[in-house]
Amino acid sequence: MSLPLSVLDLAHIAPGQSAGESIEGSVALAQQAERHGYRRVWYAEHHNMPTIASSAPAVLIAHVAARTSTIRLGAGGVMLPNHSPLSIAEQFGTLAAIHPGRIDLGLGRAPGSDERTTYALRRDPAAAESFPQDVQELRAYLAGGSLVPGVSAVPAAGSPVPLFILGSSLFGARLAAALGLPYAFASHFAPQALEAAVATYRREFQPSEDLDAPHVIAGLNVVAADTGASARAAFEHVRRAFAVNLVGRGRTFTEEEVDLLMSSAAGQHVQQMLSCAAVGTPAQVREQVEEFRRRADADELIIAHQARDTEERLRSAALLAEALESVPA
């Protein structure tokens, strides 16, 4: 396709579905994306969330990479405060050795969990403060050097694994600009600072050995379906489920209670979180995607295909790709 599109897959575990079934759905989505010309598929690290099966992105990437041929696969992202830079370099260096030219590494500063989960991961809550230094340490390992004398990341040393900085604020934008790395903005769930962050990144960007010009990836929720009514119904289902998971913390709600939740301040907050969305028929989605791309000043879009089940997600991915085949880059 002309407009570079990628996929963000959270490996959702639907009600009544096992984690294994969710992961096989992720395989099917990556294969669909590969068939339709998407550039990459990324998996986000989340912990202690019963509806998300992507807590170990490197393991999931290895599984999907063995069942696809050409599409790039990566983390969008690894939450670096949860890990040592050396261990992540080793994991992704190993993936790159097995699947050369296909592995990406997006890095996030948020923990992707709550305080109790941070404790269970044996990480210091203050680890996020050293994120810039940890990125530099990781970058050095992958480049074949080391900021820790006498330590080499085997087999990562010299691995051509491109790094991306993920963010939803000016902090990530400025860090990506200073390091000369691509910047991915999480507008699919945190859109407030989108325009300001992208403008800051482009204005402050410093060319590096990795990248000679800014590259912006913006997240967008998409539901493409054969009818507008079907797309809207699917997206409303996703918003309601998102609100329940965000507020309920494992509680069960009746439909009437969910109605009340969606009309509350918490429900309105969810609506705002998911406001960067393209929902409708292929023609309608094409128009919305083009408008969002202009607003975001993005070089690439990473799409969270929101759906009630795997079949709807696969259909959305196919319809969007077909609708955008002639959209200029």
Side-chain angles (χ1 to χ4, degrees):
M1 64 187 73
S2 300
L3 172 62
L5 286 186
S6 297
V7 171
L8 178 65
D9 183 4
L10 295 177
H12 285 288
I13 304 173
Q17 187 180 50
S18 70
E21 290 168 336
S22 167
I23 289 168
E24 289 313 299
S26 290
V27 171
L29 179 58
Q31 292 170 338
Q32 180 81 308
E34 186 172 78
R35 282 192 294 270
H36 285 277
Y38 286 79
R39 178 172 291 186
R40 60 185 107 242
V41 180
W42 280 358
Y43 304 96
E45 177 188 346
H46 292 283
H47 299 279
N48 197 29
M49 295 186 180
T51 60
I52 294 179
S54 57
S55 57
V59 179
L60 187 53
I61 290 165
H63 180 73
V64 177
R67 290 156 179 79
T68 51
S69 302
T70 57
I71 195 164
R72 299 191 67 89
L73 299 164
V78 162
M79 299 297 104
L80 199 51
N82 294 338
H83 311 275
S84 75
L86 176 62
S87 67
I88 297 304
E90 290 170 339
Q91 290 173 25
F92 281 80
T94 302
L95 286 169
I98 300 170
H99 304 285
R102 296 183 59 201
I103 303 301
D104 296 335
L105 178 49
L107 300 170
R109 179 170 174 254
S113 58
D114 53 38
E115 290 182 3
R116 288 176 295 181
T117 308
T118 299
Y119 170 79
L121 288 165
R122 301 296 190 267
R123 301 302 292 170
D124 185 337
E129 300 305 316
S130 64
F131 181 68
Q133 293 79 17
D134 288 346
V135 172
Q136 290 287 59
E137 182 181 338
L138 174 56
R139 192 181 196 182
Y141 287 135
L142 292 172
S146 177
L147 300 183
V148 182
V151 176
S152 178
V154 180
S159 296
V161 178
L163 297 182
F164 301 74
I165 299 297
L166 279 57
S168 57
S169 69
L170 299 188
F171 178 91
R174 290 197 167 105
L175 180 62
L179 298 180
L181 292 173
Y183 180 52
F185 191 89
S187 36
H188 62 290
F189 77 93
Q192 297 90 332
L194 171 62
E195 291 94 336
V198 171
T200 297
Y201 169 70
R202 290 194 180 280
R203 183 176 63 250
E204 298 183 8
F205 181 83
Q206 298 295 316
S208 69
E209 292 183 2
D210 299 287
L211 194 65
D212 59 5
H215 185 83
V216 172
I217 303 174
L220 179 66
N221 299 295
V222 170
V223 185
D226 294 294
T227 68
S230 177
R232 290 189 294 272
F235 192 49
E236 181 60 20
H237 173 87
V238 167
R239 285 193 292 200
R240 290 167 72 89
F242 188 94
V244 168
N245 290 330
L246 186 68
V247 176
R249 299 292 180 180
R251 289 171 52 203
T252 300
F253 288 76
T254 67
E255 288 301 307
E256 292 76 14
E257 288 171 332
V258 179
D259 290 339
L260 290 173
L261 173 60
M262 295 306 293
S263 64
S264 70
Q268 295 304 306
H269 177 60
V270 166
Q271 304 273 23
Q272 196 277 330
M273 290 177 70
L274 301 179
S275 60
C276 286
V279 179
T281 64
Q284 292 168 336
V285 165
R286 173 183 168 130
E287 182 178 344
Q288 294 168 51
V289 166
E290 289 183 279
E291 190 282 328
F292 174 77
R293 195 265 187 98
R294 288 191 294 270
R295 172 192 160 198
D297 191 18
D299 302 293
E300 178 181 344
L301 299 182
I302 188 160
I303 306 300
H305 283 287
Q306 303 289 3
R308 289 167 289 199
D309 56 35
T310 297
E311 290 307 312
E312 281 189 348
R313 193 167 288 111
L314 297 179
R315 183 64 175 156
S316 180
L319 290 176
L320 176 63
E322 293 164 3
L324 293 179
E325 279 181 346
S326 61
V327 174

